[in-house]
Amino acid sequence: MRVIRYHKLVRDRIPEIIEQSGKTCLTRILTREEYLAGLDAKLDEELAEFRETPCVEELADLLEVLRACACAHGFSMEEVERVRREKAVEQGGFAKRIELLEVREA
């Protein structure tokens, strides 16, 4: 029997999907601290995957992890979006593709 070890945070339905495929899996529920660390690692993983293959599916995965991070830290996506909008009004977005080269003091 072949065993692959992962020790990483996965989506809620992954164990069910694995078992439907005829395989078995071992899982456990993370502590809050482990969950936050798992989300941090998942952000890195999903960002790396998006950078390697910049497609809408990878971007959606990244957004799902961001939603989980917001919730885990006690923020709603509505609150995150409100703050994003405020910052966009105050500081702008990224649509103009501006690269800051240097700032000189008088």
Side-chain angles (χ1 to χ4, degrees), residues 31-89:
T31 65
R32 174 169 170 70
E33 294 76 25
E34 291 170 329
Y35 179 56
L36 294 174
L39 285 171
D40 189 52
K42 199 63 150 170
L43 273 174
D44 291 341
E45 176 187 333
E46 296 300 345
L47 182 56
E49 289 176 5
F50 177 72
R51 285 180 169 157
E52 184 177 316
T53 308
C55 63
V56 71
E57 290 80 10
E58 296 299 345
L59 196 55
D61 288 344
L62 189 55
L63 181 58
E64 188 65 29
V65 178
L66 287 171
R67 287 178 179 273
C69 286
C71 183
H73 288 281
F75 307 118
S76 69
M77 284 307 290
E78 292 78 17
E79 182 179 7
V80 172
E81 178 59 20
R82 178 186 55 75
V83 171
R84 185 207 62 79
R85 280 192 313 269
E86 289 172 1
K87 291 184 85 168
V89 168

Side-chain angles (χ1 to χ4, degrees), residues 6 10 15-16 18 26-27 37-38 65 69-70 75 80 83 95 99:
Y6 290 96
V10 295
E16 174 188 338
I18 289 169
L26 181 62
T27 64
V65 178
C69 286
F75 307 118
V80 172
V83 171
E99 177 184 11

Side-chain angles (χ1 to χ4, degrees), residues 84-85 87-98:
R84 185 207 62 79
R85 280 192 313 269
K87 291 184 85 168
V89 168
E90 292 170 8
Q91 300 174 15
F94 296 95
K96 293 181 180 180
R97 304 186 317 211
I98 298 169

Side-chain angles (χ1 to χ4, degrees), residues 19-36:
E19 298 210 349
Q20 286 175 351
S21 75
K23 300 174 185 175
T24 60
C25 63
L26 181 62
T27 64
R28 73 181 181 96
I29 304 302
L30 299 173
T31 65
R32 174 169 170 70
E33 294 76 25
E34 291 170 329
Y35 179 56
L36 294 174

